[in-house]
Amino acid sequence: MAPRLDKKQLNTKLFQIALPISVQGVVSATLGMVDDLMVGMLGPTELAGVGVATQLTMIHYMLLFGLISGTATYMAQFYGSGDMKNIRKCIGFGQTLLAAVGVLFFLIAVFRPQEVLAFYTDDPAVQAEAESYLRIVSVQFLFLAFSAPMEMAFKATQQTRIPMVISTVVFSTNTILNYIFIFGKFGAPALGVAGAALGTAVARGLQMLLDLLFYLRKGNCFRGSYLSFFGWSGELIRRVMKNAWPTTCNEMLWGLGQTMYVAAFNRIGTLDYAAYQAANSITNIFAFAAFSVGDASLIMVGQKLGEGDREGAIVVAKHLLKVGTIFGSGVGLLLMALAKPLSLLFNLTPAGQHLTFLILLIFGLFMGVNLMNGILITGILRGGGDTRFAMIAECSCVWFVAVPLAFAAALLWHLPIYLAVLLTKAEEITKWFILMKRFRSEKWANTVITGL
């Protein structure tokens, strides 16, 4: 018999965990859009250049997020069992891995950016702007090696207000600095795209400092000595890596798939890609609000499994999936309702603004199923350690459905950008059928910390 579900108590807890995550995402996405608006004022070439440059930063972020998501399963379950010692070891292990990754991406961005950028665009002007941005912003790869595992630990231990405060300060600072450096305000030189990169780099340094200060607070439940972040047992490393390699491959292959869309859509036209970039920037505000439920799902399901309550975890997961899907659909409808005025925000031609409007309608239409899939993959399946199946489901749909359709739409059928975007959404429908079958089987619900 399934355990009785106190929906009021569960919804209250979901609200307490998800709201700060949602605010954090909305703030970062909103200010990110403001940054894009400022770059867009320089012209479509500059906007497209930053969009192309951020493909490498997105690949790095996907790799980073994959590694950290692999440790997040353990952090959430260790929190459920009250084991703060092993939470610190997960943080230290994650920071060490990401330091190595950060150095690699930093070297590529500084010394070999041309080879990477040429894959995404053959426009020399766009390449020049992208290279200028990438060389300066590359220092963030090093800063994030410290910040990302620490902020994931704050979330996994249900201190979600801390990342919210940090992000609000950091992204506000980023926006102010971008305004100063892009346009040359308050006596600073007008650096254009390079100024946007400089503002971002300084803000990431501030983020690392704030993470350290919040970690050292007496109220932080996992605070400990420097050495307690090391001394990982072979069994902990083996299990974390077993869980992390599928999430890492998942995020990397998903991120590479997204960059394939960029490579395809850029070949439709620079204005078309600028419209896609603008629509993405706007949609991220709505998506981050909705996807906070996915982050909360990993935390809450992982905690239940860490407590040894498998049946309770399954009941909680079913409720969260229902709530999240309804919420995601509502957010999607709101995006569609506001698509027209939002499409006018960017400094594009009337034709570019119309393309942005049509792409926003498509993104809004699929927001509900996008969130449902997101909750299943990054929340429920990962919370239960079922990372290998999640990887196979997501990556097969991206690479065997969406990417071929994007290139076929751009190079073979010569479709307009909005129809090319619509075709790629076949991925979400296919993925939904695969994930729901796995969810109903309940094979995803595993306690991974037993014996550690």
Side-chain angles (χ1 to χ4, degrees):
M1 183 178 178
R4 185 176 179 274
L5 179 67
D6 187 336
K7 292 185 178 180
K8 183 177 180 181
Q9 184 181 34
L10 185 59
N11 288 336
T12 299
K13 187 173 184 179
L14 173 63
F15 181 79
Q16 290 172 344
I17 295 174
L19 180 61
I21 297 174
S22 177
V23 171
Q24 176 189 1
V26 169
V27 168
S28 63
T30 301
L31 295 180
M33 187 188 74
V34 172
D35 293 344
D36 283 348
L37 284 170
M38 287 190 283
V39 173
M41 290 178 185
L42 301 173
T45 299
E46 287 81 358
L47 180 60
V50 172
V52 168
T54 55
Q55 298 314 300
L56 184 63
T57 65
M58 187 178 77
I59 292 171
H60 171 263
Y61 182 78
M62 292 299 105
L63 180 56
L64 175 150
F65 185 70
L67 286 168
I68 297 308
S69 293
T71 63
T73 303
Y74 284 83
M75 290 182 190
Q77 293 196 17
F78 280 134
Y79 181 71
S81 66
D83 188 348
M84 301 301 151
K85 177 182 176 181
N86 272 318
I87 289 178
R88 288 194 295 275
K89 291 188 182 301
C90 287
I91 297 169
F93 184 56
Q95 289 175 332
T96 303
L97 285 175
L98 290 179
V101 172
V103 169
L104 175 62
F105 274 78
F106 174 79
L107 293 175
I108 292 172
V110 172
F111 296 108
R112 310 295 291 184
Q114 301 92 343
E115 287 84 346
V116 176
L117 299 173
F119 178 77
Y120 297 110
T121 179
D122 52 9
D123 186 328
V126 173
Q127 285 183 10
E129 296 292 351
E131 184 177 337
S132 171
Y133 182 90
L134 195 55
R135 287 185 188 277
I136 297 171
V137 85
S138 60
V139 70
Q140 74 170 329
F141 299 141
L142 307 178
F143 294 146
L144 285 170
F146 177 87
S147 296
M150 194 64 72
E151 292 191 12
M152 181 60 79
F154 286 134
K155 291 179 182 179
T157 55
Q158 301 186 17
Q159 302 179 83
T160 54
R161 290 184 181 180
I162 293 175
M164 177 191 72
V165 171
I166 292 172
S167 289
T168 301
V169 173
V170 167
F171 285 100
S172 297
T173 301
N174 189 8
T175 298
I176 293 169
L177 292 177
N178 280 5
Y179 174 72
I180 293 172
F181 294 140
I182 290 173
F183 302 114
K185 302 298 181 179
F186 305 109
L191 300 175
V193 165
L198 180 60
T200 299
V202 173
R204 288 299 187 188
L206 175 62
Q207 180 181 9
M208 184 176 68
L209 177 61
L210 291 175
D211 280 318
L212 178 61
L213 292 175
F214 273 103
Y215 161 73
L216 293 172
R217 289 172 70 243
K218 289 183 178 180
N220 176 29
C221 63
F222 60 85
R223 190 175 71 152
S225 69
Y226 173 77
L227 291 178
S228 67
F229 286 80
F230 301 94
W232 321 301
S233 69
E235 183 63 14
L236 178 64
I237 293 174
R238 186 188 70 80
R239 290 203 201 178
V240 169
M241 290 307 297
K242 183 180 178 181
N243 195 62
W245 80 259
T247 61
T248 304
C249 290
N250 186 341
E251 297 301 333
M252 275 295 295
L253 291 172
W254 183 87
L256 285 170
Q258 302 306 302
T259 67
M260 292 299 103
Y261 304 159
V262 173
F265 297 159
N266 248 311
R267 283 160 174 79
I268 296 176
T270 298
L271 179 63
D272 299 81
Y273 174 67
Y276 175 77
Q277 176 75 3
N280 250 338
S281 182
I282 294 167
T283 303
N284 282 341
I285 298 172
F286 295 81
F288 274 117
F291 274 78
S292 62
V293 181
D295 289 340
S297 299
L298 186 151
I299 295 167
M300 295 170 70
V301 170
Q303 181 186 0
K304 279 289 183 185
L305 290 169
E307 293 169 354
D309 186 3
R310 184 177 187 273
E311 292 303 314
I314 292 170
V315 171
V316 167
K318 290 179 179 178
H319 180 72
L320 294 176
L321 190 60
K322 182 187 297 183
V323 171
T325 303
I326 294 171
F327 181 56
S329 299
V331 171
L333 289 174
L334 179 62
L335 175 59
M336 295 175 73
L338 297 175
K340 191 63 178 179
L342 290 174
S343 66
L344 304 178
L345 291 175
F346 283 82
N347 184 30
L348 298 174
T349 65
Q353 291 174 341
H354 183 64
L355 290 173
T356 303
F357 165 67
L358 295 176
I359 296 169
L360 286 173
L361 291 179
I362 294 167
F363 285 157
L365 181 64
F366 284 88
M367 184 73 75
V369 69
N370 282 7
L371 179 56
M372 195 173 190
N373 290 337
I375 292 172
L376 285 165
I377 290 176
T378 63
I380 294 171
L381 268 62
R382 289 186 183 176
D386 195 20
T387 55
R388 185 172 178 271
F389 185 89
M391 173 195 70
I392 294 171
E394 179 149 64
C395 295
S396 60
C397 290
V398 169
W399 285 94
F400 297 140
V401 179
V403 170
L405 286 174
F407 276 97
L411 302 180
L412 297 179
W413 303 326
H414 305 291
L415 296 178
I417 184 68
Y418 57 92
L419 289 182
V421 171
L422 179 62
L423 274 180
T424 63
K425 293 301 178 182
E427 166 211 352
E428 298 292 345
I429 304 300
T430 306
K431 189 160 54 182
W432 181 85
F433 283 104
I434 297 171
L435 291 173
M436 283 305 298
K437 183 177 180 181
R438 184 67 168 186
F439 178 71
R440 293 188 181 110
S441 76
E442 300 180 0
K443 294 178 181 178
W444 54 268
N446 308 291
T447 300
V448 297
I449 62 172
T450 304
L452 289 174

